[in-house]
Each structure stands twice: as structure tokens, then as C-alpha cells.
Amino acid sequence: WQLWQILRKPLYKAGLLFSKAGDGKVVAVDGDYERAWSGATALSLLTAVKYYSATGDTQFNDDIQFWKNGLYALHVPGRGFREAPHYLTESAYVNGEAWLALAEYLRVFPGDLEARNFLQELDNYLIEEYGDKADTRFSSWGTMAATVRARTTGDAKFVNFVLKVAALNLEQREKKVA
């Protein structure tokens, strides 16, 4: 971690951490990638998808695709999501937020085969990563995402995940109270 802290700024200045080219976008303060965050992108995607689902208004559909592709670009294959374009670390919050946003996206746009394949890989990683620990940073987002995935796929692994995470969190809470 300390080595990464030392190397991050020179790698960023040299343009080696990400490319600004492509069809994805991330939410950033003043367009500055030093102040761009995956979680904000995930929540923007989630909000736009929910808005479209509720109203049928297509005014944000281009943004939906851009933000979805921005999250894809921030995904590390076989793992979760980078916290930001200029970070290599992942975050439990971001992983949960992004999973929920993409799960809702696929619920609303079920014909997107790329998203379906992407989510299947992501589902497996996140269930494996967070299914055996009570991580409160992930739990609320992750259980909402798993609930959406259970409803859209009918796969019991998502229900089992929600039950397991809930039990772990209750167990952890009981230990704190005792």
C-alpha cells in the first residue's frame, strides 16, 4: 500500500493509470479524473435506470450507456471495481454500489447480453468475496443487488447469499452488544 501511495501520482501524471479515450464516462468534479469516483458513477447509473424504469423517459439513455461502460472500464477482470480511475484498489462500497446499479440495469434492459455475461462473472466474485464476512460497507448494497439478481434470474444462490450475509451481520451485532 505504501509503495502504491508513492507511485500513484507519478503514474497518474505520466498517463499510465487510465485512458480518457473510449465510450465510457465517469462522474467527476469539474471533469478532473483526480476527483472522479466509481461509486458516484454507479449511483448516477442506478438513478438514471430507476428514472427510466419509472417514467419511460429516454432523455438519459445515452448517459446510462456511458456510465455503464465507465463502470466496465473501472472493473478489474476476476475482481471488483477500482475506487477511481487513478486507483488500483477496490472498495467494498463501490463493489456493492456498482453491483446494484448493474443488476438494476440488466433488470430494466434484459436484452443486453454483454451486461448479462459481465454480471454473471461479477456475481460469482462478489458472492465469493463477501459471502463469508460481515462487511457493513458492502452488506446493504450487496444484499439489494443480490435481491434484484434473485428476482431477475430465479437463482437460489442469491437468496442464500442474502440470508448468509444477514446472519453474519446479526452475529457480529450480537457480539458487539454482548
Side-chain angles (χ1 to χ4, degrees), residues 2-44:
Q2 290 174 339
L3 181 61
W4 169 243
Q5 287 294 89
I6 294 167
L7 293 176
R8 185 176 64 82
K9 289 203 182 268
L11 290 172
Y12 174 72
K13 287 183 181 182
L16 297 173
L17 291 179
F18 59 86
S19 170
K20 292 182 180 179
D23 61 353
K25 291 184 180 180
V26 293
V27 176
V29 177
D30 298 326
D32 179 4
Y33 280 90
E34 276 285 338
R35 296 174 66 196
W37 300 103
S38 304
T41 302
L43 295 179
S44 296

